[in-house]
């Protein structure tokens, strides 16, 4: 599932508006959290491993990207070094699943389909905003990450969770919707339009994932108190009111300007929502897997 391109956001939203069925789909959509199994049986749900979470604070995007690459490589090497019959035995592994939570300094990122396609003068313009630009191996196109945005990089071995990629992405969408519901915000998905939406034209969270040999990387970005000015720099002119939106702005619109929607306030809610949706325990990573925790910490400090 790709992150929706902010540069193409206007085209997407024009398609939404020109198709009344999409509006109806948004109005009728439900998250299904109360009975969410992500297509797994009760027996499978009873076998799910514990996921360790860690909050890293603010980490430069390039450093976090390299950390994900090395962690995925280490996990793939460890899992596939085992005989196939033993790969489901968690006791034979040193590294565990991890929900990596963090923020980034201002950065625009682009997906693998657009490598080398952004013109040099456009990249220079973004750099002039005191903002980095990075091309990645995730799906999708250009988007923004920055302070006030809670970014989540689930590093899961999907076979342990009996999940196909499509169900995994659906779980991330449900997690965001459940988090928003805690604040009284109705957030839904729109068929054919990646991300999580609070109206047919306002997107509160972007999603973009990468899966290699059933090990996941990248993930989601939830706008908590994000400064929306950054998104304006990559939205075509004439598309006011059809853009990304933050929880902070949504709460102001709902007459609750004093509601705390900071990353610190949203993080524990999202962690609980992730556990609820994915049907597993989520505990501090240092308790679940000291080796994984140490590996991540050392990479972030480099």
């Amino acid at each position: 599932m790709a992150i929706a391109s902010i540069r193409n956001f206007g085209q997407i939203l024009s398609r939404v508006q020109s198709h009344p069925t999409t509006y109806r789909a948004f109005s009728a959509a439900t998250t299904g959290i109360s009975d969410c199994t992500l297509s797994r049986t009760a027996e499978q749900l009873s076998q799910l491993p514990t996921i360790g979470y860690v909050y890293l604070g603010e980490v430069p995007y390039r450093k976090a990207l390299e950390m994900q690459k090395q962690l995925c490589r280490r996990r793939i090497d460890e899992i596939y070094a085992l005989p196939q019959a033993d790969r489901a035995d968690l006791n034979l592994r040193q590294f565990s699943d991890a929900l990596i939570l963090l923020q980034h300094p201002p950065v625009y990122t682009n997906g693998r389909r657009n490598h080398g396609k952004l013109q040099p003068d456009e990249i220079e313009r973004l750099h002039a905003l005191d903002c980095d630009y990075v091309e990645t191996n995730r799906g999708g196109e250009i988007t923004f990450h920055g302070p006030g945005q809670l970014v989540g990089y689930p590093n899961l071995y999907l076979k342990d969770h009996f999940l196909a990629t499509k169900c995994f992405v659906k779980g991330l969408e449900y997690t965001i919707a459940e988090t928003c519901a805690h604040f009284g915000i109705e957030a839904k998905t729109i068929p054919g339009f990646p991300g999580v939406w609070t109206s047919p034209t306002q997107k509160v969270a972007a999603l973009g994932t990468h899966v290699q040999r059933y090990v996941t990387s990248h993930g989601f970005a939830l706008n908590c108190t994000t400064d929306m000015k950054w998104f304006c720099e990559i939205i075509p002119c004439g598309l006011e009111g059809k853009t990304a939106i933050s929880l902070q702005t949504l709460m102001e619109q709902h007459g609750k300007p004093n509601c705390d929607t900071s990353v610190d306030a949203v993080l524990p809610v999202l962690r609980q929502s992730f556990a609820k949706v994915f049907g597993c325990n989520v505990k501090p990573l240092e308790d679940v897997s000291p080796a994984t925790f140490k590996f991540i910490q050392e990479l972030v400090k480099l």
Side-chain angles (χ1 to χ4, degrees):
M1 181 71 70
I3 287 182
S5 166
I6 300 300
R7 180 161 291 280
N8 293 335
F9 201 39
Q11 298 174 15
I12 291 174
L13 294 171
S14 294
R15 288 163 52 201
V16 171
Q17 288 190 313
S18 64
H19 291 81
T21 54
T22 305
Y23 272 90
R24 290 197 294 272
F26 178 84
S27 300
T30 57
T31 59
I33 296 298
S34 60
D35 59 352
C36 178
T37 63
L38 300 180
S39 302
R40 294 169 296 180
T41 66
E43 181 179 356
Q44 289 172 334
L45 289 170
S46 69
Q47 300 174 40
L48 300 183
T50 297
I51 296 175
Y53 77 89
V54 60
Y55 177 60
L56 301 177
E58 187 175 277
V59 179
Y61 187 85
R62 293 177 188 273
K63 181 174 288 188
L65 182 61
E66 183 62 26
M67 176 267 294
Q68 289 188 81
K69 288 179 179 178
Q70 292 199 35
L71 179 60
C72 286
R73 173 48 52 197
R74 178 62 69 91
R75 295 208 67 199
I76 289 169
D77 288 347
E78 181 179 59
I79 291 167
Y80 288 92
L82 296 169
Q84 186 169 355
D86 293 335
R87 289 175 190 164
D89 189 345
L90 301 179
N91 294 321
L92 298 179
R93 298 187 220 154
Q94 188 178 22
F95 286 76
S96 75
D97 289 336
L99 173 59
I100 303 167
L101 301 168
L102 67 166
Q103 298 181 66
H104 293 303
V107 58
Y108 292 106
T109 70
N110 220 333
R112 56 183 175 267
R113 291 183 299 175
N114 289 325
H115 282 197
K117 292 184 178 180
L118 206 63
Q119 295 300 313
D121 59 342
E122 178 66 2
I123 296 175
E124 184 178 346
R125 184 184 71 83
L126 296 179
H127 285 159
L129 300 171
D130 197 23
C131 189
D132 200 3
Y133 172 76
V134 182
E135 294 180 341
T136 77
N137 64 344
R138 63 161 171 79
E141 302 181 40
I142 193 167
T143 193
F144 170 77
H145 299 306
Q149 186 185 72
L150 179 55
V151 176
Y153 296 138
N155 182 255
L156 311 183
Y157 181 52
L158 292 182
K159 285 194 172 185
D160 286 343
H161 296 267
F162 308 97
L163 287 175
T165 300
K166 183 177 180 179
C167 289
F168 166 66
V169 173
K170 183 182 294 185
L172 297 183
E173 293 173 335
Y174 286 176
T175 295
I176 299 297
E178 178 77 356
T179 301
C180 292
H182 174 87
F183 293 92
I185 301 297
E186 186 177 27
K188 302 178 181 180
T189 60
I190 301 177
F193 300 94
V196 182
W197 303 73
T198 56
S199 81
T201 59
Q202 293 180 320
K203 186 176 185 180
V204 72
L207 274 74
T209 61
H210 180 74
V211 181
Q212 181 180 6
R213 302 194 75 177
Y214 299 97
V215 175
T216 67
S217 59
H218 297 282
F220 58 83
L222 173 60
N223 298 320
C224 299
T225 59
T226 319
D227 189 339
M228 294 291 106
K229 73 176 184 181
W230 295 102
F231 289 96
C232 296
E233 296 294 338
I234 48 172
I235 294 177
C237 298
L239 298 175
E240 297 177 13
K242 303 172 185 178
T243 183
I245 194 168
S246 67
L247 283 175
Q248 182 181 45
T249 300
L250 287 164
M251 297 310 296
E252 291 171 353
Q253 293 177 353
H254 283 69
K256 299 179 181 179
N258 297 322
C259 180
D260 187 359
T261 56
S262 65
V263 167
D264 287 343
V266 175
L267 192 151
V269 178
L270 185 137
R271 186 181 70 238
Q272 293 167 9
S273 298
F274 187 93
K276 179 178 180 180
V277 169
F278 282 88
C280 55
N281 291 321
V282 178
K283 298 181 178 180
L285 181 58
E286 59 265 39
D287 296 336
V288 175
S289 172
T292 308
F293 179 77
K294 182 179 179 182
F295 186 79
I296 291 173
Q297 292 290 338
E298 288 179 348
L299 289 174
V300 169
K301 291 177 181 177
L302 291 177

